[in-house]
């Protein structure tokens, strides 16, 4: 009897040990069997947007990239203003001018529009050698001045066509009506035609603003440290962060273009000529 009990106890112990070992093996095997399906989406996401350590590197240097964004915005605003100051009179000359002046304006516009912007910038900086400009406590380096002149004159060539078309879109009868009430030709153009043309030019001007904003990246060719140049500096320093830097830069460009486009959309809606009216 005692021998039978001993055998039973021994068998029970062996069975319990086997069950325990199987449970431990099952518990150990469960994470490795379950983990891959759960972790695969996360791994894919990290693989798509880049490495976490590289993202930390980008955010540690975010102030450096944002400094480049400030240069980009400054270049854009200065270039657009120069383009407007030169482009609007050029468009008016093409509509109302005559003789050699009109042909000169048209010829210069064709040359500027037909020349790649990188060539214009290189000529400004390396061939003409635009000097540094001192503005009291501030100064603009030759690279910045070349960038503003190159981008601004190129923009002027395109803005002249925007304003040429909007000036020509105003009915000639309104110009004649202005003359009929005693205005000179210049006064009629200034007080009757120009206000309508400016309101109609906002959609085209919006497109030009966006184009100039993105064209500022071309000043990379003359070594100006705007947003793209600074991004290049970063991924040269850490070659594994190329994707992360480019995504971060693209996000900044997107925010800038989105904000300016929405602002100009509102401006266009506010100053739009009501349907059925001419002014």
């Amino acid at each position: 009897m005692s021998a039978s009990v001993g055998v039973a106890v021994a068998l029970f112990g062996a069975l319990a040990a086997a069950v325990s070992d199987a449970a431990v093996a099952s518990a150990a095997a469960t994470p490795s069997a379950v983990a891959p399906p759960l972790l695969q989406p996360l791994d894919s996401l990290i693989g798509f947007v880049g490495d976490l350590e590289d993202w930390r590197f980008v955010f540690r240097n975010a102030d450096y990239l944002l400094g480049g964004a400030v240069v980009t915005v400054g270049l854009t605003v200065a270039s657009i203003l120069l383009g407007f100051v030169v482009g609007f009179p050029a468009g008016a000359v093409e509509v109302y001018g005559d003789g050699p002046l009109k042909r000169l304006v048209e010829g210069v516009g064709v040359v500027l529009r037909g020349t790649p912007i990188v060539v214009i910038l290189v000529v400004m900086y390396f061939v003409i050698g635009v000097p540094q400009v001192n503005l009291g406590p501030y100064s603009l380096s030759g690279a910045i001045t070349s960038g503003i002149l190159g981008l601004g004159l190129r923009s002027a060539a395109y803005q002249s066509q925007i304003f040429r078309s909007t000036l020509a879109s105003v009915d000639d009868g309104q110009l004649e009506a202005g003359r009929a009430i005693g205005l000179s030709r210049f006064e009629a153009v200034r007080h009757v035609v120009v206000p309508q043309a400016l309101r109609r030019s906002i959609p085209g001007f919006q497109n030009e603003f966006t184009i100039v904003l993105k064209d500022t990246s071309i000043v990379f060719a003359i070594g100006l440290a705007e947003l793209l140049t600074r991004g290049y500096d970063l991924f040269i320093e850490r070659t594994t962060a190329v994707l992360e830097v480019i995504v971060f830069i693209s996000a900044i460009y997107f925010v800038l273009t989105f904000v300016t486009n929405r602002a100009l959309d509102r401006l266009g809606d506010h100053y739009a000529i009501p349907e059925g009216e001419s002014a």
Side-chain angles (χ1 to χ4, degrees):
M1 182 71 176
S2 59
S4 300
V5 172
V7 171
V9 170
L11 289 174
F12 181 79
L15 179 61
V19 171
S20 177
D21 291 342
V24 171
S26 175
T30 299
S32 61
V34 177
L38 294 178
L39 294 178
Q40 280 176 358
L42 182 59
D43 291 341
S44 299
L45 179 62
I46 293 174
F48 177 74
V49 299
D51 183 76
L52 290 178
E53 184 58 35
D54 288 338
W55 275 115
R56 294 189 187 98
F57 169 77
V58 171
F59 285 113
R60 284 197 302 269
N61 292 277
D63 55 341
Y64 181 71
L65 293 174
L66 292 176
V70 171
V71 175
T72 293
V73 172
L75 275 174
T76 303
V77 173
S79 301
I80 281 289
L81 290 177
L82 176 60
F84 178 80
V85 169
V86 177
F88 187 82
V93 168
E94 290 194 40
V95 175
Y96 301 109
D98 195 9
L101 179 59
K102 180 178 180 178
R103 290 192 293 272
L104 175 64
V105 169
E106 290 175 342
V108 172
V110 169
V111 171
L112 288 174
R113 289 190 298 273
T115 305
I117 184 60
V118 66
V119 175
I120 296 175
L121 292 172
V122 168
V123 169
M124 286 286 180
Y125 187 63
F126 294 105
V127 179
I128 298 177
V130 178
Q132 176 177 312
V133 176
N134 294 317
L135 303 172
Y138 304 101
S139 62
L140 301 178
S141 67
I144 293 178
T145 308
S146 298
I148 293 173
L149 284 176
L151 291 168
L153 292 178
R154 171 68 176 270
S155 178
Y158 282 100
Q159 289 191 52
S160 68
Q161 299 308 293
I162 296 172
F163 297 127
R164 179 189 63 78
S165 61
T166 54
L167 287 168
S169 70
V170 179
D171 190 83
D172 291 338
Q174 298 192 43
L175 184 60
E176 295 173 4
R179 297 295 302 276
I181 61 174
L183 298 178
S184 67
R185 180 178 174 84
F186 176 78
E187 289 173 335
V189 170
R190 177 185 175 187
H191 296 293
V192 178
V193 178
V194 167
Q196 299 179 65
L198 288 177
R199 294 168 76 172
R200 294 177 178 180
S201 68
I202 292 176
F205 184 80
Q206 175 179 345
N207 291 336
E208 178 60 18
F209 191 98
T210 303
I211 290 170
V212 173
L213 175 62
K214 291 183 289 187
D215 278 351
T216 56
S217 61
I218 308 299
V219 299
F220 175 86
I222 58 176
L224 192 55
E226 45 68 66
L227 180 56
L228 184 63
T229 307
R230 294 192 179 203
Y232 178 78
D233 292 342
L234 281 188
F235 62 67
I236 284 296
E237 179 181 342
R238 187 186 183 94
T239 54
T240 59
V242 176
L243 173 64
E244 292 79 7
V245 171
I246 290 176
V247 170
F248 191 83
I249 291 173
S250 300
I252 294 176
Y253 275 117
F254 174 79
V255 170
L256 292 176
T257 54
F258 181 83
V259 170
T260 53
N261 281 331
R262 295 294 78 77
L264 289 172
D265 279 341
R266 288 181 175 270
L267 187 67
D269 292 340
H270 181 75
Y271 287 105
I273 297 176
E275 190 69 25
E277 300 182 22
S278 56

